[in-house]
Amino acid sequence: MTRALSAACKPRHRLVRCAASLSLLMLCDAPADARSLEAVIERGALTLCASPNALPFASKNGPVPGFQIELGEKIAEQLGVKLTREWVVSAIQYRRADCDLVLDVISRKDTEPAGGVRVTRPYHRSGVVLAVRGDSKATSLASLDSYQRVGVQVGSLVSMTLGKGGAITSPFVYEDDIVAALANREIEAAAVTPMTVGWFNLQHADKPLRTIPAFDSDQDLNWNIAAGLLRPDDKLRQRVDAAIETLLADGTIARIYARYGIELRPPQ
């Protein structure tokens, strides 16, 4: 897994950063046929692969679909087709799924994803922040007392970074468990993504968490987010790029993110 992703992507998919990266790994074994723009238009559908139980990212059931589903629908609308969904949680399902599109793919200028996946232009900047309770006096990582624990994902890069720096950490598998422990005063801070904090705050307006940009200078703990297309032809990739450009320009992506408590950040 890349960057701050959990090393343990298990069926309890509440981390789509994990699910999205897993999808790229699983797609390495997918058929090699390219999907052309012409084929998508002729079929009248663009297929998004997503996890069925991973809010705020995606959900098969419930009152809200998740921002990946909403964004996928808008991209498909720009192409003049409908969005179809492949719900996937396991390696076997990913291999069998007929995916055109995966979202929340980590985009690096110097590396293309494996498995024939081509990334679009990035539309968001994410990474790791330090979250604290609203009543915390902490203003930086250094302002924490030496005995105060920081919640981290087990096996993550940030856990290793903090460990080398001498911080006391408490390992968790899932980010939502980390912020829950923080709210319950089991730990003093949490090294998590802004998306997790934003979704938590939307659901817990009575006890919102505060974020500190403690890792902004670490390039390994910050990354651009893009859409991933499975072996598209150039025309399909160009059309999806144009769709994302339009959705950024008219504020659609920012509005979708805001409904889930997330601030859209410009990629770098």
Side-chain angles (χ1 to χ4, degrees), residues 23-63:
S23 71
L24 299 186
L25 295 176
M26 295 306 106
L27 289 173
C28 292
D29 294 328
D33 294 338
R35 179 81 79 194
S36 68
L37 174 62
E38 181 180 358
V40 169
I41 300 299
E42 182 178 350
R43 189 177 55 161
L46 183 74
T47 301
L48 170 71
C49 277
S51 176
N53 183 28
L55 285 175
F57 304 93
S59 177
K60 185 176 182 180
N61 302 302

Side-chain angles (χ1 to χ4, degrees), residues 37-231:
L37 174 62
E38 181 180 358
V40 169
I41 300 299
E42 182 178 350
R43 189 177 55 161
L46 183 74
T47 301
L48 170 71
C49 277
S51 176
N53 183 28
L55 285 175
F57 304 93
S59 177
K60 185 176 182 180
N61 302 302
V64 292
F67 66 78
Q68 287 187 340
I69 304 301
E70 292 196 36
L71 179 54
E73 288 175 339
K74 292 298 183 181
I75 292 173
E77 184 180 299
Q78 289 289 316
L79 270 60
V81 299
K82 65 180 181 179
L83 183 75
T84 58
R85 303 154 180 77
E86 286 274 0
W87 301 111
V88 286
V89 296
S90 70
I92 292 176
Q93 287 177 316
Y94 271 107
R95 293 190 185 102
R96 294 176 178 173
D98 188 21
C99 306
D100 296 316
L101 179 69
V102 288
L103 293 174
D104 289 275
V105 176
I106 293 174
S107 175
R108 289 179 55 92
K109 295 179 180 179
D110 57 351
T111 306
E112 283 284 339
V117 174
R118 298 179 67 187
V119 295
T120 64
R121 60 147 295 167
Y123 52 83
H124 179 55
R125 183 74 172 171
S126 190
V128 181
V129 296
L130 190 70
V132 295
R133 291 182 296 277
D135 60 1
S136 172
K137 295 181 180 179
T139 57
S140 66
L141 184 62
S143 68
L144 294 174
D145 291 330
S146 59
Y147 62 87
Q148 292 178 319
R149 293 185 175 273
V150 180
V152 296
Q153 277 190 291
V154 62
S156 65
L157 180 57
V158 72
S159 70
M160 293 183 282
T161 300
L162 289 173
K164 289 179 181 178
I168 301 177
T169 60
S170 292
F172 296 80
V173 175
Y174 301 103
E175 282 199 352
D176 51 354
D177 288 339
I178 302 177
V179 293
L182 175 60
N184 291 333
R185 301 184 178 275
E186 298 169 23
I187 54 177
E188 194 61 29
V192 292
T193 59
M195 287 181 174
T196 296
V197 178
W199 178 242
F200 179 90
N201 285 347
L202 190 66
Q203 297 175 303
H204 303 85
D206 59 325
K207 50 179 181 180
L209 304 178
R210 176 168 56 87
T211 61
I212 299 170
F215 308 102
D216 274 7
S217 61
D218 191 331
Q219 293 185 355
D220 287 332
L221 297 179
N222 295 273
W223 53 84
N224 287 336
I225 293 294
L229 293 165
L230 178 59
R231 284 181 279 273

